[in-house]
Amino acid sequence: MKIIAYHVRDEELEIVEKWEKEHNVDVKIVKDQLSSENVHLAKGFDGLTTSQNKPIPNDIYEKLNSYGIKQISQRSAGYDIYDLKAASKNNIIISNVAVYSPESIAEFTLTQALMLIRKVKEIEERTNEENFSWQPEIQGRLLAEMTVGIIGTGHIGRSAAKLFNALGAKVLGYDIYPNDKAEEYLEYKESIEDVIKHSDIVSLHMPATEDNFHQFNYEMFKQFKATAYLINNARGSIVDTKDLMSALDDNLLAGAALDTYEREGAYVPRDNRETGISDDLFKAVLNHDKIMYTPHIAYYTNVSVRNIMTIGLDSTLEVIKTGDTKNRVN
Ligand code: NAD
């Protein structure tokens, strides 16, 4: 049995080798993403996995179908890059890796919360200038005395709620579909506004949809406590970045940690040192005193990298053996 794996990074090679041995399957590695130029390499293989963030022209589905390949196993949660109708028309199953390590994102959320309330960015700046004085601007607060609001209480939201709860914070939650598992760690409120007005930290963990585009805008920030913090590890489009900066400048809230930015696509994940950033709004985010920005890195742990690759290969094998997979999205 032979699988072809596109867009494999060096750090993943060891994981692939281990999986090959465990399953007695050969995996051919291609470093690039799947494209019209390299799709012919898939000829003769039984299955295919990739991690695309570049769109796939529709003729690729036709070609894969003509090679007898039945699936593209996408190694990420997102699959909006695919034309699911075109794939289905050509008998190509698209699968994703929806859940790989919610704990990784939850632990990063906790890290951001602690960095915000212990003023780590400010302390670091002062330390770099050899200012080692103790002053109220850098006095921290205790999580155990705070209320944390979780918006979106699915896999990641409830994992974050569990951590905050374990450290003694009161945790409130809002979800369009509340679930019993989350209720172990948080108390549901009827509306987002109800959560926000009582919270010292508001953390977003819902998917981006048409309905919540720029849902966190100036009007919403008016309902925050002036001493509260926003954490956005969900998707950039949920927050109106311009409004957030105005709200921070007008002291409607105290600070924000953003792991996502609404127009990050052109810059993340990429080394921009030579080309620079030409998006003025993004530059303003990076230079804002009250914003701690990280480049969509909340998920990025050894466990996530291992699980994404392993689950991606598992579903490829599942389709080869059974003709379908539980991770199918079309
Ligand atoms: P999930 O599907 O398990 O949970 C999402 C929850 O949000 C569900 O309970 C759903 O009912 C709820 N929801 C949907 N729309 C809502 C709305 N408008 N308001 C309130 N709640 C709403 O998903 P998950 O695995 O917990 O992931 C959540 C999000 O985290 C993903 O959609 C993704 O955008 C983001 N994410 C970020 C990273 C990162 O590295 N920063 C990594 C993975 C996922």
Side-chain angles (χ1 to χ4, degrees):
M1 223 177 278
K2 289 191 307 178
I3 288 173
I4 183 161
Y6 286 86
H7 205 203
V8 177
R9 302 191 306 272
D10 287 346
E11 66 178 322
E12 296 171 317
L13 291 173
E14 212 177 298
I15 304 163
V16 176
E17 272 170 34
K18 188 164 176 271
W19 188 92
E20 281 181 296
K21 281 193 194 117
E22 280 171 9
H23 295 84
N24 199 20
V25 174
D26 287 333
V27 181
K28 180 185 165 64
I29 302 289
V30 181
K31 297 238 158 143
D32 295 324
Q33 300 197 28
L34 178 62
S35 67
S36 301
E37 287 70 46
N38 63 23
V39 63
H40 66 277
L41 298 174
K43 233 183 248 175
F45 284 86
D46 304 300
L48 183 155
T49 172
T50 184
S51 173
Q52 291 296 125
N53 48 42
K54 289 186 192 147
I56 292 188
N58 283 359
D59 66 303
I60 288 202
Y61 303 115
E62 282 166 37
K63 284 197 180 130
L64 292 177
N65 190 19
S66 75
Y67 304 160
I69 287 187
K70 296 190 168 43
Q71 175 201 33
I72 300 178
S73 161
Q74 167 72 9
R75 300 190 307 276
S76 74
Y79 52 85
D80 44 333
I81 215 87
Y82 294 95
D83 181 336
L84 297 183
K85 275 195 193 134
S88 300
K89 205 172 126 203
N90 289 286
N91 302 317
I92 302 287
I93 295 169
I94 306 292
S95 65
N96 73 336
V97 183
V99 182
Y100 44 83
S101 176
E103 297 80 9
S104 294
I105 298 113
E107 286 190 10
F108 196 74
T109 306
L110 176 64
T111 307
Q112 289 160 304
L114 290 170
M115 287 179 80
L116 286 168
I117 66 173
R118 295 308 300 263
K119 312 261 171 85
V120 172
K121 183 173 166 167
E122 293 88 334
I123 294 169
E124 213 165 46
E125 277 163 14
R126 291 160 66 105
T127 306
N128 287 340
E129 290 166 357
E130 299 177 2
N131 175 1
F132 306 145
S133 61
W134 297 338
Q135 274 157 0
E137 302 93 86
I138 52 162
Q139 190 188 78
R141 292 164 68 193
L142 210 59
L143 201 51
E145 290 192 354
M146 295 182 130
T147 299
V148 180
I150 304 281
I151 315 293
T153 58
H155 291 90
I156 298 170
R158 62 177 174 261
S159 183
K162 183 178 174 182
L163 297 179
F164 286 118
N165 179 280
L167 291 176
K170 177 172 181 181
V171 188
L172 303 178
Y174 173 77
D175 197 299
I176 48 171
Y177 301 113
N179 63 79
D180 294 347
K181 281 192 217 156
E183 254 178 333
E184 251 185 81
Y185 311 110
L186 57 82
E187 178 194 322
Y188 275 114
K189 292 281 180 190
E190 288 296 316
S191 69
I192 292 191
E193 287 76 8
D194 234 7
V195 172
I196 287 171
K197 65 179 186 227
H198 294 109
S199 295
D200 301 297
I201 296 168
V202 175
S203 193
L204 309 184
H205 299 287
M206 74 276 230
T209 61
E210 275 174 23
D211 295 339
N212 64 24
F213 178 78
H214 281 186
Q215 186 175 27
F216 281 73
N217 53 25
Y218 199 85
E219 282 308 303
M220 187 73 98
F221 293 126
K222 277 187 186 163
Q223 321 219 25
F224 273 61
K225 288 188 189 180
T227 50
Y229 296 98
L230 171 77
I231 299 177
N232 184 12
N233 290 337
R235 282 292 179 267
S237 65
I238 301 171
V239 173
D240 184 327
T241 313
K242 228 187 214 168
D243 277 13
L244 170 65
M245 281 190 282
S246 305
L248 289 167
D249 294 342
D250 295 345
N251 298 315
L252 298 187
L253 69 166
L258 306 179
D259 192 49
T260 55
Y261 161 65
E262 53 184 311
R263 297 198 296 253
E264 69 188 15
Y267 302 103
V268 182
R270 218 175 79 178
D271 184 344
N272 300 288
R273 280 178 294 184
E274 276 181 18
T275 42
I277 309 281
S278 50
D279 177 339
D280 287 337
L281 185 62
F282 196 12
K283 275 202 245 179
V285 166
L286 298 174
N287 291 323
H288 202 289
D289 284 349
K290 295 181 182 172
I291 297 180
M292 227 172 58
Y293 173 77
T294 46
H296 209 128
I297 216 133
Y299 89 97
Y300 190 53
T301 63
N302 58 337
V303 174
S304 294
V305 171
R306 186 178 68 221
N307 287 352
I308 291 170
M309 179 52 84
T310 306
I311 297 168
L313 288 166
D314 285 349
S315 7
T316 315
L317 191 56
E318 196 185 346
V319 172
I320 297 170
K321 285 187 172 165
T322 70
D324 208 347
T325 164
K326 56 186 174 303
N327 297 320
R328 179 180 192 146
V329 294
N330 63 336

